Amino acid sequence: MVTSPSPQQSVRLEDYRPFPFRIPKTELDVVIQDDAVLVTADLHLEPVQDSSEPLRLQGVDLALISLAVDGQPLAADAYSLSGDALQIHATPHQPFTVTTVCKLDPAANGSLEGLYASGGMLTTQCEAEGFRRITFHPDRPDVLSCFRVRIEADRERYPVLLSNGNAVAAGPVPESPTRHAVVWEDPFPKPSYLFALVAGDLKEIRDHFTTASGRRVTLRLHVEAGDEPYTAHAMESLKRSMAWDEQIYGLEYDLDEFNTVAVRHFNMGAMENKSLNIFNSKLVLADAETATDGELERIESVVAHEYFHNWSGNRITCRDWFQLSLKEGLTVFRDQCFTADLHCAALKRIEDAAMLRNTQFREDAGPTAHPVKPDAYQAIDNFYTTTIYEKGAELIRMLQTLLGDARFMRGMRLYFQRHDGEAATTEDFVAAILEGATEDGSSLNFEPEQFKRWYHQAGTPHVSVDRQWEPTEGRLTLTFRQSTAPTPGQPDKLPVVIPVLWSVLNAEGRAGDERLLVLDQAQQSVVLEGLAKTPQPPVLSLFRNFSAPVTWTADQGDDDLFALFAEDTDAFARWDAGQQLWKRLLLARASGADASSLEMRMLDAVSQLLSPAGEQDPAVLATLLAFPGLAELEALQDEADPPALFEASCALRELFGSQLADALRQRLASSAESLQAHWPAGQGERQLTALIWSWLAAAGDEEVRDAALAAVSGPSMTLARAALRALQPIDCAQRLQALQVFHDRWQDRPVIFDTWFALEASTPRPDALARVEVLLQHPRFDPMAPNSVRAVLGGLVGNPSVFHALDGSGYLFMARQIIAVDGRNPITASRMAKVFSRWHTYGPQRKAAVQQALAVLAEADLSTNTREVVTLMQA
């Protein structure tokens, strides 16, 4: 029996060596029995250049029943089995076949990796290293193979049997009439992490898509009985994705069928297995009554993301896991563009920037900071991060900004043509983009090797901008400086290539011509001549469209920011100016400083936006009025104080709600008619209504509180959740009633009921920690479902006064829960452990409390995944 490996040494990029064998064909026979699964694997191998190296295969929690080479059983001294490896000492010098028969127990597999039981079905998750829990295999992304898979099972218990590719045969098992088998063949070589298998009693929703070349592709979505009515949105999202990829990239789907399965027990959001995408149920099952506008857009985006992987991840995969962003960063970029094209590009860009600032920038500033292309890891699962995904996408967007759309797309076409069917690297990607961009003889405006530093340097660059204004000459000199703070293992940073899109507001407050500065030195200056000869320097609009994933400071006073907030033609720059003003107000309140004059100016600015002559688009208005995230605010404090920031946010909402009540009620009335419009229509009005409810409810408006309570029973999940969020910070009768109504309405729908767990855990109340303990014992809480665990414990983290209590009770509670989760699901536990990553920014008392919690974690018997995270945080 091969068991889970002991803690391992770091895997290093510099140690990469190609696998000494090719495996052009893999045949699997998977026999599902009542209490176990038997997997017979035929690996058809070819030595690379007459390699004389032994054959080393990986395996975890497998019982090896038999082992043969070219049909001949191996003698005991011809192989060794230890730890997580099966080694065959000597192999033929010509092509040969290794056959293994393994027995595994999916019901006992709580890791949610490999083949495991989820409810009444069996399913797989093989990325990153789950295939080794199914059979012995190299299980590395640079070993590509064509798979033929036979699945056999009891027909009544497992009527649906799915794997990758096309179904080429199906029927009863002759010697056992109660059993049946299906054979799947995938003609495209793929790494083992893209293998998938699902067996269960599932209901099928079927549709089709006709490709640009006229091929008819069958689309099948498989869900548990009763979930069929909630699949239409996901199916339509898939068809939109397929059409978009053809229109924008010229990439068609390449098989006869495409299957999607919804699974409740799933560590990730979804998985792009070739032609058999497996999704967390939360990202499939939805309509306007059961999902918010944001969730509907998120589902559309994730469905697109996994489909786009068919080319950017599957047809071209990554050579090794250090190249993870090759597929994930690129596919995030593609799904962001898809959403921008289908909806509002400006608001999508703001949404992505806000997400990056509140998650990835925080990661960059903490002990788990790592480059987009790491150079070492202990557990690769720990690197499925916003740095790999979202920051990786920003690197590609910077290439697009630097090259322009036409040249960038030439490079993308070359990349897909050149590397189809290969396991590639980030260097391959950048080389193809730049070669395609310059194929017409044009030159680059940046140094490629310097740009690549973005892949290897961790941390968020900071840019400072100084103005020197000569009013009598109308001359403006701008000095840009870039620097990046030290990160673990990287004390010294070199300048990177930073595209700065910027403009100058003219005397009428409108932005002039947009300019691109390629900032590639530690310090650069730009001189503008012939500007209007005014006493005050012109207002700068910086990093328009969020042209680089950096932070910046400029000598912009309140007057400059209010001018940008009111007039800037770039949606991101306008929003960013407002965010800077909101930050100044919130930080002042949190520290007890007097900001009354700034508050009066902001009240006046918001009043103008709310007026009939103000901002007309409700979605834009709601976005401009939304407060910055607490993570962003914490990063700006000398000593981060999350409870003080939370109280400041509540107080500011109350102030603006009371001072602007009449204007807010008028906007509510004007939005009312569109509130029940079908998504995507009406989402701006619902977004604005949610914000106004939160302000007026905080200000004590009983009519709004009652309207919010009524919305919890209404037909729109968007409004129901908006109502709950508006009432949540307020200790009022409507809050208690609303939570109970939501509980009673959705307790039989686990995908939705997890929202109630999160709301309850994050509601500020004196007994909140005890309440979380009760939630963990709730009969509807499923400790084996990552969604449920994240809902309760993530809700606690989102309850600042409780999680960050000065006595350390919240930190210790979380540490003990992480230990418990780690025993059954290391991936979920290691990701949860990162909630402590900002401890060094807290005051002395909280620092000591977090260190105590980390010590409790360090003393526990942890998985490799969680041990790696805890060690980094203690360093």
Side-chain angles (χ1 to χ4, degrees):
M1 179 75 170
V2 179
T3 58
S4 298
S6 57
Q8 59 194 43
Q9 298 297 313
S10 292
V11 179
R12 299 188 180 280
L13 175 58
E14 64 184 16
D15 295 332
Y16 171 81
R17 299 291 183 274
F19 193 62
F21 300 89
R22 288 185 292 268
I23 310 181
K25 186 176 181 180
T26 297
E27 296 179 283
L28 299 179
D29 187 66
V30 181
V31 179
I32 300 170
Q33 302 171 332
D34 290 340
D35 57 352
V37 173
L38 285 179
V39 178
T40 301
D42 289 325
L43 305 183
H44 299 269
L45 294 107
E46 297 176 354
V48 176
Q49 296 179 346
D50 297 324
S51 172
S52 59
E53 294 185 46
L55 173 63
R56 183 181 175 89
L57 305 175
Q58 306 299 315
V60 175
D61 291 340
L62 301 175
L64 180 63
I65 306 301
S66 66
L67 171 63
V69 173
D70 289 335
Q72 298 299 313
L74 286 190
D77 61 354
Y79 69 94
S80 58
L81 187 61
S82 62
D84 61 348
L86 166 64
Q87 182 166 295
I88 299 175
H89 304 316
T91 60
H93 293 290
Q94 66 276 356
F96 63 98
T97 299
V98 170
T99 302
T100 58
V101 179
C102 297
K103 184 177 182 180
L104 49 147
D105 183 2
N109 182 6
S111 69
L112 307 190
E113 294 182 278
L115 179 64
Y116 63 92
S118 173
M121 75 176 84
L122 299 181
T123 189
T124 56
Q125 171 55 35
C126 292
E127 187 177 357
E129 296 177 339
F131 193 70
R132 64 191 62 186
R133 293 176 177 270
I134 297 173
T135 190
F136 287 97
H137 192 272
D139 200 17
R140 43 187 286 170
D142 60 345
V143 177
L144 308 184
S145 186
C146 292
F147 279 70
R148 184 179 177 90
V149 181
R150 177 184 179 274
I151 312 170
E152 177 190 320
D154 180 83
R155 181 187 299 275
E156 183 175 346
R157 186 174 177 186
Y158 301 106
V160 176
L161 303 174
L162 303 170
S163 192
N164 312 89
N166 298 317
V168 296
V173 176
E175 61 271 21
S176 182
T178 63
R179 297 175 67 77
H180 70 134
V182 180
V183 178
W184 293 86
E185 189 158 11
D186 184 355
F188 295 98
K190 66 174 180 286
S192 55
Y193 81 85
L194 291 172
F195 170 79
L197 181 152
V198 173
D201 186 2
L202 298 167
K203 303 303 177 184
E204 176 189 304
I205 295 84
R206 184 178 293 224
D207 207 328
H208 77 277
F209 178 83
T210 302
T211 70
S213 63
R215 288 189 307 104
R216 184 182 173 94
V217 179
T218 300
L219 310 178
R220 298 196 291 165
L221 206 166
H222 307 267
V223 297
E224 295 181 52
D227 287 335
E228 300 96 319
Y230 307 104
T231 58
H233 177 66
M235 184 66 82
E236 290 303 312
S237 298
L238 174 59
K239 291 192 286 186
R240 287 192 289 271
S241 307
M242 298 175 81
W244 185 88
D245 217 15
E246 289 183 345
Q247 293 162 8
I248 303 301
Y249 285 91
L251 300 175
E252 282 193 21
Y253 185 62
D254 49 12
L255 288 166
D256 298 333
E257 59 182 289
F258 187 95
N259 287 284
T260 303
V261 179
V263 180
R264 173 157 167 74
H265 297 85
F266 204 64
N267 279 325
M268 300 184 180
M271 179 60 207
E272 72 269 17
N273 316 295
K274 179 71 178 183
S275 75
L276 177 52
N277 286 185
I278 300 178
F279 274 67
N280 191 312
S281 297
K282 185 175 179 62
L283 290 170
V284 171
L285 307 176
D287 60 14
E289 185 181 11
T290 60
T292 66
D293 290 339
E295 288 170 337
L296 290 172
E297 185 174 300
R298 173 69 174 150
I299 289 169
E300 181 184 64
S301 172
V302 174
V303 168
H305 180 98
E306 305 309 329
Y307 173 74
F308 295 155
H309 266 311
N310 186 61
W311 282 89
S312 52
N314 296 2
R315 290 283 291 256
I316 305 176
T317 193
C318 47
R319 187 197 70 179
D320 51 71
W321 291 121
F322 300 101
Q323 321 293 331
L324 181 57
S325 194
L326 174 76
K327 72 183 186 77
E328 295 300 349
L330 176 55
T331 307
V332 168
F333 170 78
R334 278 160 39 82
D335 81 55
Q336 289 174 347
C337 294
F338 167 78
T339 300
D341 284 353
L342 266 62
H343 301 286
C344 176
L347 293 180
K348 175 59 177 169
R349 191 67 189 125
I350 291 171
E351 175 189 314
D352 293 338
M355 186 272 186
L356 202 76
R357 287 175 166 183
N358 281 282
T359 55
Q360 197 280 319
F361 283 11
R362 184 177 187 137
E363 186 169 75
D364 259 349
T368 60
H370 58 276
V372 171
K373 185 173 182 175
D375 58 8
Y377 63 81
Q378 290 183 22
I380 184 56
D381 299 303
N382 288 339
F383 285 92
Y384 284 77
T385 62
T386 53
T387 297
I388 301 295
Y389 282 65
E390 279 74 21
K391 186 174 181 179
E394 292 299 322
L395 270 56
I396 296 166
R397 190 176 297 275
M398 284 192 291
L399 284 173
Q400 183 187 44
T401 300
L402 290 162
L403 297 170
D405 290 347
R407 295 206 300 166
F408 174 77
M409 287 305 293
R410 287 207 306 265
M412 287 298 302
R413 285 191 291 271
L414 179 60
Y415 171 69
F416 285 120
Q417 292 166 6
R418 174 177 291 172
H419 296 290
D420 185 16
E422 295 181 3
T425 66
T426 58
E427 287 81 4
D428 293 330
F429 172 77
V430 174
I433 294 295
L434 299 185
E435 185 176 331
T438 56
E439 67 183 13
D440 60 355
S442 58
S443 60
L444 298 174
N445 57 355
F446 64 95
E447 171 54 50
E449 292 305 313
Q450 187 175 1
F451 180 84
K452 291 177 188 177
R453 290 176 187 165
W454 278 103
Y455 283 97
H456 301 286
Q457 287 190 173
T460 302
H462 180 78
V463 176
S464 63
V465 187
D466 295 324
R467 289 181 295 185
Q468 181 181 346
W469 175 238
E470 300 172 70
T472 59
E473 302 296 330
R475 181 185 298 121
L476 177 67
T477 302
L478 300 177
T479 301
F480 293 81
R481 297 179 180 88
Q482 65 161 297
S483 62
T484 304
T487 55
Q490 291 187 341
D492 300 316
K493 309 288 185 174
L494 295 171
V496 292
V497 175
I498 301 175
V500 184
L501 285 175
W502 64 285
S503 183
V504 175
L505 268 60
N506 60 27
E508 290 74 39
R510 308 295 289 178
D513 293 339
E514 188 171 82
R515 297 170 169 85
L516 172 63
L517 167 69
V518 180
L519 177 61
D520 55 7
Q521 304 299 314
Q523 178 175 317
Q524 286 172 237
S525 294
V526 176
V527 179
L528 270 67
E529 304 273 6
L531 300 175
K533 299 176 182 180
T534 57
Q536 298 300 319
V539 177
L540 296 178
S541 176
L542 296 168
F543 289 95
R544 294 162 70 82
N545 202 40
F546 195 54
S547 60
V550 302
T551 60
W552 66 89
T553 54
D555 55 343
Q556 293 173 305
D558 293 346
D559 291 345
D560 289 355
L561 295 177
F562 276 111
L564 293 165
F565 190 45
E567 299 290 347
D568 203 321
T569 54
D570 182 81
F572 169 78
R574 184 185 182 196
W575 168 81
D576 180 67
Q579 291 291 286
Q580 292 189 56
L581 292 167
W582 287 125
K583 289 172 187 176
R584 293 179 185 186
L585 288 172
L586 290 163
L587 291 169
R589 277 190 169 264
S591 66
D594 179 21
S596 55
S597 61
L598 181 57
E599 286 175 354
M600 294 304 296
R601 289 193 67 179
M602 195 62 168
L603 281 165
D604 183 62
V606 173
S607 178
Q608 293 296 320
L609 289 171
L610 290 168
S611 71
E615 177 57 54
Q616 300 302 302
D617 187 321
V620 171
L621 179 57
T623 301
L624 292 174
L625 301 186
F627 291 173
L630 288 181
E632 273 192 88
L633 294 165
E634 286 179 36
L636 296 172
Q637 290 183 302
D638 292 333
E639 288 186 358
D641 189 346
L645 290 169
F646 174 74
E647 293 300 327
S649 298
C650 292
L652 202 61
R653 276 193 293 270
E654 180 179 356
L655 172 68
F656 276 69
S658 60
Q659 294 295 313
L660 301 172
D662 290 342
L664 291 167
R665 291 192 190 100
Q666 288 173 12
R667 277 292 190 149
L668 270 185
S670 66
S671 297
E673 191 173 318
S674 300
L675 289 182
Q676 300 306 326
H678 184 68
W679 182 90
Q683 59 183 335
E685 287 82 0
R686 290 186 287 269
Q687 185 180 354
L688 182 59
T689 295
L691 183 135
I692 293 174
W693 276 354
S694 71
W695 285 15
L696 291 178
D701 189 321
E702 289 295 326
E703 185 177 337
V704 163
R705 292 179 181 181
D706 289 340
L709 172 59
V712 178
S713 303
S716 168
M717 180 59 75
T718 300
L719 293 176
R721 295 262 287 278
L724 289 162
R725 287 194 301 271
L727 295 171
Q728 190 183 40
I730 307 163
D731 187 6
C732 62
Q734 292 94 334
R735 179 178 77 178
L736 183 63
Q737 295 173 55
L739 285 167
Q740 188 62 50
V741 167
F742 195 87
H743 173 282
D744 295 345
R745 183 177 182 185
W746 299 112
Q747 60 181 318
D748 294 327
R749 292 290 308 278
V751 169
I752 303 171
F753 198 61
D754 285 334
T755 298
W756 178 83
F757 280 122
L759 287 163
E760 278 285 337
S762 58
T763 296
R765 42 165 74 98
D767 64 341
L769 197 57
R771 180 63 179 154
V772 171
E773 295 190 71
V774 172
L775 293 175
L776 292 171
Q777 304 304 318
H778 192 285
R780 303 283 182 178
F781 176 75
D782 182 355
M784 301 305 294
N787 288 355
S788 288
V789 174
R790 287 190 287 258
V792 175
L793 298 181
L796 171 60
V797 175
N799 199 335
S801 60
V802 180
F803 180 63
H804 295 284
L806 284 173
D807 64 2
S809 55
Y811 301 146
L812 281 173
F813 180 87
M814 179 61 71
R816 295 184 181 114
Q817 292 303 317
I818 290 170
I819 293 169
V821 173
D822 188 62
R824 56 182 183 267
N825 190 327
I827 292 176
T828 297
S830 64
R831 292 174 183 175
M832 286 170 45
K834 292 181 181 180
V835 299
F836 297 122
S837 64
R838 294 289 291 161
W839 68 268
H840 62 284
T841 68
Y842 302 153
Q845 193 169 349
R846 285 197 177 93
K847 277 184 181 177
V850 176
Q851 287 174 318
Q852 183 181 359
L854 288 172
V856 169
L857 278 167
E859 292 169 5
D861 183 15
L862 299 175
S863 66
T864 301
N865 301 62
T866 305
R867 173 70 59 193
E868 181 178 23
V869 173
V870 172
T871 300
L872 287 171
M873 287 190 293
Q874 286 189 307

